Amino acid sequence: MVGMKPVVKQGASVEARPVERGEKAFIQVLIGPEDGAPHFITRKFTILPGGRIPKHKHPSIEHEQYVLSGRMKIYLGDEVREVAAGQAVYIPPDTPHAYVNEGDKPVEFLCVIPKTNAYATEWLED
């Protein structure tokens, strides 16, 4: 596309913000609209030991994730799975999901979502 330029940046230079309603959970937007990305947003999540992101869903947004380090429990609908570094996860739209780090090491994972005008989150627990 005309006017778009490649972007290379150091992940460590991107501010880590607390995840809404999360405990000991942080998000970094590595590549997004502010970088000129027209279709996708790449985010990195870090969940510290004892941390969690409560159950929620996004009615119209799918998630594609890749675990970089650590291991955690991920709740996908009625199923609970343990995922670890090297595993990929696909979460279809409107699927309830939650993350829990019961280990003694941080968990880091990438999460790619489509860029949309509206990003609705329905929280299913406090």
Side-chain angles (χ1 to χ4, degrees), residues 57-126:
K57 66 181 181 174
H58 311 282
S60 60
I61 301 292
E62 67 184 73
H63 290 48
E64 296 175 5
Q65 301 176 338
Y66 182 77
V67 183
L68 298 167
S69 65
R71 57 187 322 109
M72 67 179 163
K73 285 185 180 175
I74 184 167
Y75 295 75
L76 299 166
D78 295 331
E79 187 178 352
V80 180
R81 301 285 300 266
E82 178 122 348
V83 296
Q87 290 185 294
V89 177
Y90 172 69
I91 303 173
D94 211 34
T95 301
H97 55 285
Y99 309 85
V100 178
N101 181 355
E102 296 176 342
D104 58 359
K105 295 181 180 160
V107 173
E108 295 181 319
F109 64 96
L110 295 179
C111 180
V112 178
I113 59 170
K115 178 185 168 197
T116 64
N117 291 331
Y119 183 86
T121 301
E122 182 181 330
W123 293 98
L124 303 172
E125 65 176 286
D126 293 325

Side-chain angles (χ1 to χ4, degrees), residues 6-98:
V7 173
V8 175
K9 61 182 169 180
Q10 189 68 31
S13 70
V14 177
E15 176 188 8
R17 298 177 324 222
V19 173
E20 179 184 0
R21 298 195 188 190
E23 298 171 18
K24 300 180 184 179
F26 302 90
I27 182 174
Q28 295 168 278
V29 177
L30 300 178
I31 300 290
E34 62 282 347
D35 299 302
H39 302 292
F40 299 97
I41 301 170
T42 301
R43 308 167 312 164
K44 179 182 169 194
F45 286 83
T46 302
I47 304 177
L48 300 177
R52 67 189 289 270
I53 300 173
K55 189 179 285 186
H56 62 286
K57 66 181 181 174
H58 311 282
S60 60
I61 301 292
E62 67 184 73
H63 290 48
E64 296 175 5
Q65 301 176 338
Y66 182 77
V67 183
L68 298 167
S69 65
R71 57 187 322 109
M72 67 179 163
K73 285 185 180 175
I74 184 167
Y75 295 75
L76 299 166
D78 295 331
E79 187 178 352
V80 180
R81 301 285 300 266
E82 178 122 348
V83 296
Q87 290 185 294
V89 177
Y90 172 69
I91 303 173
D94 211 34
T95 301
H97 55 285

